[in-house]
Amino acid sequence: MEHAKATSVATTCYHCGEDLPVHVYETDNKLFCCAGCKSVYEILASNNMCNYYAYNQAPGRLSEKAAGRSSEKESGLRYLDEPAIAARLIDYQDKENTIVTFYIPAIHCSSCIWLLEHLYRIHPAIYNSRIHFIKKEVTLSFKQAEVSLREVVHILSSIGYEPLISAQDVVKENAKAIDKKLILKIAIAGFCMGNVMLFSFPEYFGITDLESRFRALFGWLNLALCLPVTFYCGRDYFVSAYNSLKQRRVNLDTPLALIIAVLFIRTALATVLNSGPGFADTLTGLVFLLLMGKWVKQRTYHHISFDRDYRSYFPIAVTTLEEGKEKPVEINALKVGDRLWIRNGELIPADSILMKGEGWVDMSFVTGETDPQQKVLGEIIYAGGRQEGAAIEVEVVKPVSQSYLTALWNRDYHRENAGQNFNDTIAKYFSVAVFVVSLAAFGYWMAQGDSGKAWAAFTAVIIVACPCVLALSTPFTLSALLSVFDKKGFYVKNTDAVEQLAQCDSLVFDKTGTLTSTAKASIAFSGTLNDTERKMLASLLQHSAHPLSRHILKSMRYDGFYPLSDFKEVTGAGIQARILEHTLYVGSKRILPEGLNLPDTQGVHVVIDKTYKGTFQVQQEWREALPELMQTLQASFTLSVLSGDHAKDEKTLKAIFPAGTEIRFQQSPGQKLDAIVEKQQKGRRVMMLGDGLNDAGALKQSDFGVAITDNINNFTPGCDAILKGDSMALLPRFHQMSKDGLKIIKMSFAIATAYNLIGVFYAVQGTLYPLVAAVLMPVSTITIISFTSIATRYFAKKNKLI
Amino acid sequence: MNILYFLVGCSLLMALVFLGAFIWSLKSGQHDDMHTPGIRILLDDEKPEKSDLDHF
């Protein structure tokens, strides 16, 4: 018999499984596709860890890309030596040991688990490591005297398992999600409920005289089991009700706290006085089901809001400098070590070190303090600051934390409108109404002489009247809406803003940067500039973030920049600075010095000292499909345009907008603000679309302010949402979706009201067993959650947003 | 039927022991990760290296 000897020739990399290129790397009779894979293999082989390859075919599949970069990354990890930053990452540290948890996206198979849990073989000071496979996290314990945090991260990178440190907040937040205390309470409540039911069986089935002495035994046991339930498991409700009553208010937990107390007292009295079976089964069942409902709420809400805070992102781009060339990069793609060019008014998105320029940083977004802080070269500037004055070059030292920026943004938020939202108004009256109805029922039945029914009615009414819809449907629906919007480039600040959006009936547009795209423009220059003057102009323009400055700079030829001093940018007017002993002015007539003889042309004027040099005519490209968009929007909004520009585009605007639209030109930022106030005083709800940098005041004043961004860094904390320029055409759909969201909330209110009315109807008659009422509560909770999820998906599909 | 007092007491005691065990497991983090121990169990222990003195 001939054995066909199959000689397999390796055609794929032993480490990562990719096809081998023409030039292969070889070691130990194994072939690799690149130096990265080979180096990881060599590290593992030298530490006797080739078992890594035993469990899976080509286990380095996901991680080889990271391994290749590891050699460059060594210096990029400098920031981990900084104690303040390291402190934010580690979980625990004492004199000898440090425990840290990292999120490693490359974890995907059992080999990864094996390798990462045997890290002690690579460096014995990492004495313990534990993987959480689903969360892709590893928790390491190491002796900080023998290996530093930075070395640990470097080791992980070199074997292809680089931790994603910008997701560190994800790790921390995840740890908070699992509320062990609640689970403990549920376990104890469930235990007591089960045993109480067991001991209540004889009562249900009827005790004969022969067994009547056991009634006392079971009664006391039931009471004993009620104690931990009332005082430990039910504690939160008592605390919440007490705090609310201290403020002379009734909140949603007050009736629940009352009923738990009443049931407990009745059970205690019944047991001590031996006058009846007591309500132990209802009490324990109720507390158990309430806690279960709380748990379901927590899990679902955490899932939704987690998605929102940590996976979505600010659609802002900053200008990075790559070998001196400017390139806009979205902030979630920034890496440590990137050089950023931050202009006047722009946001610094991550902790960075000042490399060039004069740093005057306004930290009002972070600390509320408006006095700019001066920063020296080499000093660290924290994320959230805004540069004022000439532009600076900074180097990113810590990855961007979008959750941090979102948190800052929301911290700034106060309710400017006096109106509370729907939820709060209902909550006030609901509990009071519940008390009134239950006391009325109680009084009625007592008057009829049937005290048993009276108590049954009282407890059943309070239990069955479920306020869960108030606590559930609004946040769930609005959070689901937020995640739908985020995926389409419409980043809304928080759920309350969505309600504002739905109520808007007036829409105000800015022109430059909003209706016109900042991407392309055609530029014409009337005048003369020699090479030096052109270089001076470029040097000035590079410090300004205004769309016109950017366009002009892009169109010019220049070689290098001059240093400048006394940079000043006046919003809506222009920029000026001192360069090479001259004062250079660029902008509209408002910024130019007095007494000049200027031609009548409109545009961006250039003046050096007292000599007029020329004017740039900038014709920005209009965005696509504007007339159609306005046509659709007109159905739900009154449109108007407030432009800081002069009236040269009046004809085009009149063609885009429907007849009779208010169009105003030459509006200063103050005038724009006043125009919005004027509309609001007429009772309109104003939504404004504008440029984050120049319209900051007007955006804040409007009921819903949207900053349009096209790969530029123009964030202002006063706005309620950021909209990507490409997504502007979806605006009518976003508005419709927010209105549908409110519809969903109202529908779920209707469902809940129906349920409550029917429930209360049976409860006041005393025919509803309190225990049955207790079961109906979680049923209604689940109904509402399912309804809002399904309805939101339905409407999102209908509005073509999914 | 007096034995019932004793029996009920015993059963309650046993149930409490199990509740205690559950609380212990919850506090020590057994339920934090439901997935990884299932994979970990399939990984081999390392065989002790054969030294030159073994003659098997």
Side-chain angles (χ1 to χ4, degrees):
Chain A
M1 226 163 39
E2 222 181 59
H3 296 279
K5 273 209 182 144
T7 325
S8 62
V9 178
T11 54
T12 54
C13 173
Y14 184 70
H15 179 72
C16 68
E18 298 260 318
D19 289 328
L20 291 173
V22 173
H23 175 71
V24 298
Y25 294 76
E26 183 180 342
T27 187
D28 269 0
N29 274 333
K30 299 185 176 61
L31 302 175
F32 301 94
C33 67
C34 63
C37 291
K38 178 161 164 258
S39 62
V40 176
Y41 175 81
E42 283 170 344
I43 295 176
L44 297 180
S46 61
N47 288 303
N48 229 339
M49 295 174 84
C50 288
N51 251 340
Y52 178 64
Y53 299 100
Y55 295 109
N56 283 287
Q57 189 87 313
R61 186 169 26 106
L62 285 187
S63 37
E64 51 81 31
K65 291 182 217 106
R69 291 207 322 255
S70 67
S71 46
E72 323 157 1
K73 272 288 189 170
E74 168 74 82
S75 54
L77 297 174
R78 264 178 310 173
Y79 66 96
L80 290 169
D81 287 334
E82 182 90 23
I85 293 182
R88 274 160 80 162
L89 297 174
I90 60 182
D91 297 330
Y92 169 81
Q93 187 169 52
D94 62 24
K95 276 188 279 217
E96 289 178 357
N97 311 305
T98 306
I99 301 182
V100 60
T101 308
F102 288 119
Y103 171 67
I104 302 185
I107 294 179
H108 68 284
C109 69
S110 51
S111 293
C112 311
I113 301 182
W114 186 85
L115 179 58
L116 289 171
E117 291 191 347
H118 286 83
L119 278 178
Y120 61 83
R121 292 226 195 146
I122 297 183
H123 198 307
I126 308 176
Y127 60 87
N128 189 21
S129 44
R130 197 117 175 124
I131 305 282
H132 191 304
F133 188 68
I134 296 287
K135 290 201 268 186
K136 296 195 199 244
E137 286 172 5
V138 63
T139 304
L140 301 165
S141 310
F142 61 93
K143 302 236 177 251
Q144 68 258 23
E146 293 162 46
V147 64
S148 72
L149 182 65
R150 176 183 167 190
E151 282 163 345
V152 169
V153 174
H154 181 64
I155 290 173
L156 287 172
S157 305
S158 63
I159 52 171
Y161 288 94
E162 187 183 345
L164 189 61
I165 302 216
S166 61
Q168 204 55 25
D169 307 308
V170 170
V171 169
K172 297 280 185 208
E173 195 54 35
N174 237 341
K176 283 191 234 155
I178 304 158
D179 186 0
K180 277 206 194 149
K181 283 220 184 88
L182 182 61
I183 300 195
L184 194 56
K185 288 185 181 164
I186 292 177
I188 291 179
F191 172 83
C192 292
M193 177 180 90
N195 281 296
V196 161
M197 296 290 196
L198 213 56
F199 294 141
S200 306
F201 264 3
E203 202 60 55
Y204 295 155
F205 294 135
I207 290 189
T208 66
D209 287 326
L210 205 61
E211 299 143 352
S212 62
R213 55 203 163 124
F214 291 112
R215 177 179 284 147
L217 168 69
F218 292 136
W220 281 102
L221 282 174
N222 280 347
L223 184 59
L225 288 169
C226 283
L227 284 171
V229 168
T230 317
F231 293 106
Y232 175 61
C233 306
R235 230 184 113 233
D236 293 334
Y237 293 99
F238 289 123
V239 168
S240 159
Y242 176 66
N243 284 334
S244 150
L245 285 173
K246 258 203 302 195
Q247 293 175 0
R248 296 163 173 278
R249 266 199 228 133
V250 169
N251 73 357
L252 299 174
D253 286 333
T254 322
L256 295 174
L258 175 71
I259 203 63
I260 295 176
V262 162
L263 287 173
F264 179 71
I265 293 173
R266 290 220 67 207
T267 314
L269 286 175
T271 316
V272 168
L273 302 176
N274 215 347
S275 63
F279 287 95
D281 50 0
T282 313
L283 173 60
T284 49
L286 175 67
V287 173
F288 174 69
L289 291 169
L290 281 176
L291 291 176
M292 283 294 282
K294 207 188 223 185
W295 183 74
V296 170
K297 250 197 309 183
Q298 246 184 29
R299 297 273 304 195
T300 321
Y301 191 58
H302 179 262
H303 178 75
I304 297 178
S305 67
F306 179 83
D307 206 43
R308 154 88 257 268
D309 290 334
Y310 301 102
R311 297 203 195 124
S312 54
Y313 56 87
F314 266 49
I316 297 180
V318 282
T319 312
T320 57
L321 292 174
E322 228 162 275
E323 288 148 28
K325 285 224 174 326
E326 293 186 3
K327 188 175 130 193
V329 170
E330 290 211 346
I331 59 176
N332 65 317
L334 286 179
K335 291 191 293 293
V336 168
D338 283 343
R339 290 285 178 104
L340 306 179
W341 183 249
I342 308 282
R343 299 182 187 83
N344 183 29
E346 290 186 339
L347 183 77
I348 294 147
D351 294 346
S352 325
I353 293 186
L354 181 59
M355 287 291 169
K356 273 193 218 149
E358 256 184 63
W360 285 96
V361 182
D362 171 9
M363 297 299 286
S364 59
F365 189 35
V366 182
T367 60
E369 217 184 85
T370 46
D371 283 334
Q373 297 173 357
Q374 186 172 25
K375 299 280 180 186
V376 300
L377 294 178
E379 200 177 332
I380 194 166
I381 307 180
Y382 290 102
R386 303 161 73 95
Q387 166 63 5
E388 287 196 359
I392 52 176
E393 187 178 322
V394 301
E395 180 171 317
V396 177
V397 290
K398 192 181 175 281
V400 172
S401 165
Q402 278 159 157
S403 55
Y404 177 63
L405 294 175
T406 313
L408 285 181
W409 192 16
N410 277 298
R411 213 203 299 165
D412 198 53
Y413 177 86
H414 8 259
R415 300 250 181 90
E416 276 142 2
N417 340 27
Q420 296 166 306
N421 59 17
F422 202 29
N423 251 3
D424 292 340
T425 29
I426 296 275
K428 247 199 306 186
Y429 298 121
F430 190 88
S431 304
V432 174
V434 165
F435 277 127
V436 165
V437 172
S438 58
L439 286 171
F442 183 72
Y444 174 75
W445 285 112
M446 282 302 243
Q448 300 276 355
D450 191 342
S451 75
K453 266 219 174 115
W455 278 111
F458 180 68
T459 48
V461 168
I462 295 192
I463 296 176
V464 104
C466 177
C468 36
V469 66
L470 304 173
L472 287 182
S473 78
T474 311
F476 276 39
T477 315
L478 296 178
S479 300
L481 282 187
L482 285 185
S483 63
V484 168
F485 288 158
D486 286 347
K487 293 195 179 77
K488 289 289 176 180
F490 185 42
Y491 193 76
V492 181
K493 191 180 194 176
N494 55 31
T495 53
D496 289 321
V498 178
E499 284 187 73
Q500 295 292 336
L501 171 60
Q503 291 164 349
C504 286
D505 58 14
S506 265
L507 187 44
V508 174
F509 285 93
D510 171 46
K511 184 182 77 96
T512 315
T514 309
L515 296 172
T516 59
S517 163
T518 48
K520 289 195 223 109
S522 51
I523 317 241
F525 183 59
S526 51
T528 43
L529 285 175
N530 61 32
D531 281 336
T532 326
E533 290 166 342
R534 214 179 300 129
K535 197 164 160 186
M536 285 167 67
L537 179 61
S539 315
L540 176 57
L541 288 173
Q542 62 151 348
H543 289 269
S544 163
H546 196 279
L548 292 175
S549 317
R550 309 279 295 273
H551 282 306
I552 297 175
L553 188 61
K554 248 196 273 186
S555 73
M556 287 172 56
R557 281 171 294 114
Y558 53 88
D559 50 6
F561 301 113
Y562 291 125
L564 51 64
S565 56
D566 298 329
F567 174 83
K568 198 164 93 163
E569 179 159 10
V570 179
T571 321
I575 47 182
Q576 68 181 67
R578 274 197 75 73
I579 307 178
L580 294 183
E581 313 292 318
H582 297 288
T583 313
L584 185 56
Y585 303 88
V586 177
S588 73
K589 295 212 173 94
R590 272 178 253 145
I591 195 147
L592 303 177
E594 307 263 327
L596 288 176
N597 232 345
L598 296 166
D600 261 338
T601 47
Q602 303 279 15
V604 181
H605 304 289
V606 179
V607 169
I608 301 187
D609 292 324
K610 294 270 180 179
T611 330
Y612 168 76
K613 286 287 163 184
T615 308
F616 281 96
Q617 313 269 24
V618 182
Q619 185 52 47
Q620 288 190 314
E621 225 178 60
W622 299 92
R623 290 194 196 269
E624 291 168 3
L626 281 181
E628 290 85 0
L629 177 61
M630 299 312 156
Q631 201 64 355
T632 326
L633 286 173
Q634 210 206 5
S636 8
F637 293 102
T638 325
L639 305 173
S640 42
V641 178
L642 297 176
S643 171
D645 208 356
H646 26 76
K648 66 176 191 318
D649 290 315
E650 187 164 2
K651 244 193 276 170
T652 332
L653 281 175
K654 287 226 161 92
I656 294 175
F657 284 87
T661 312
E662 175 194 13
I663 304 178
R664 291 194 215 168
F665 292 99
Q666 304 270 45
Q667 299 284 300
S668 72
Q671 284 172 308
K672 286 189 193 174
L673 184 71
D674 292 333
I676 294 193
V677 172
E678 194 188 312
K679 289 191 209 301
Q680 285 175 328
Q681 278 168 349
K682 285 197 207 140
R684 310 245 217 95
R685 297 294 198 111
V686 183
M687 173 167 154
M688 167 147 190
L689 263 72
D691 180 325
L693 286 176
N694 299 305
D695 300 321
L699 284 175
K700 189 158 187 198
Q701 178 60 33
S702 61
D703 294 288
F704 190 81
V706 181
I708 305 265
T709 158
D710 268 318
N711 258 354
I712 47 180
N713 184 352
N714 62 347
F715 172 71
T716 170
C719 69
D720 297 290
I722 307 174
L723 176 62
K724 262 187 150 157
D726 302 328
S727 304
M728 196 157 113
L730 299 174
L731 195 55
R733 285 192 241 169
F734 290 139
H735 183 239
Q736 183 57 40
M737 189 72 208
S738 65
K739 285 202 288 197
D740 289 337
L742 288 197
K743 229 192 285 176
I744 295 176
I745 294 176
K746 297 214 168 86
M747 279 199 278
S748 52
F749 265 89
I751 296 179
T753 315
Y755 156 81
N756 272 313
L757 286 175
I758 298 175
V760 169
F761 175 69
Y762 283 107
V764 292
Q765 294 174 11
T767 50
L768 188 64
Y769 288 125
L771 191 55
V772 175
V775 171
L776 283 178
M777 275 191 89
V779 168
S780 75
T781 307
I782 295 174
T783 317
I784 297 292
I785 297 180
S786 327
F787 172 72
T788 51
S789 319
I790 296 174
T792 318
R793 276 196 78 83
Y794 166 73
F795 277 111
K797 280 228 168 81
K798 190 157 156 255
N799 284 314
K800 302 202 196 69
L801 285 175
I802 283 199
Chain B
M1 283 281 258
N2 281 334
I3 196 73
L4 261 179
Y5 286 108
F6 177 67
L7 285 177
V8 165
C10 264
S11 77
L12 202 54
L13 195 60
M14 245 179 45
L16 282 171
V17 165
F18 280 108
L19 180 66
F22 175 75
I23 295 176
W24 180 22
S25 79
L26 188 65
K27 288 230 159 105
S28 67
Q30 186 174 316
H31 302 283
D32 291 341
D33 184 354
M34 302 296 236
H35 196 96
T36 320
I39 303 176
R40 204 177 282 129
I41 209 172
L42 297 172
L43 304 176
D44 291 331
D45 286 336
E46 271 80 65
K47 293 188 216 133
E49 303 266 310
K50 282 199 174 169
S51 79
D52 286 331
L53 300 175
D54 286 339
H55 292 292
F56 306 115

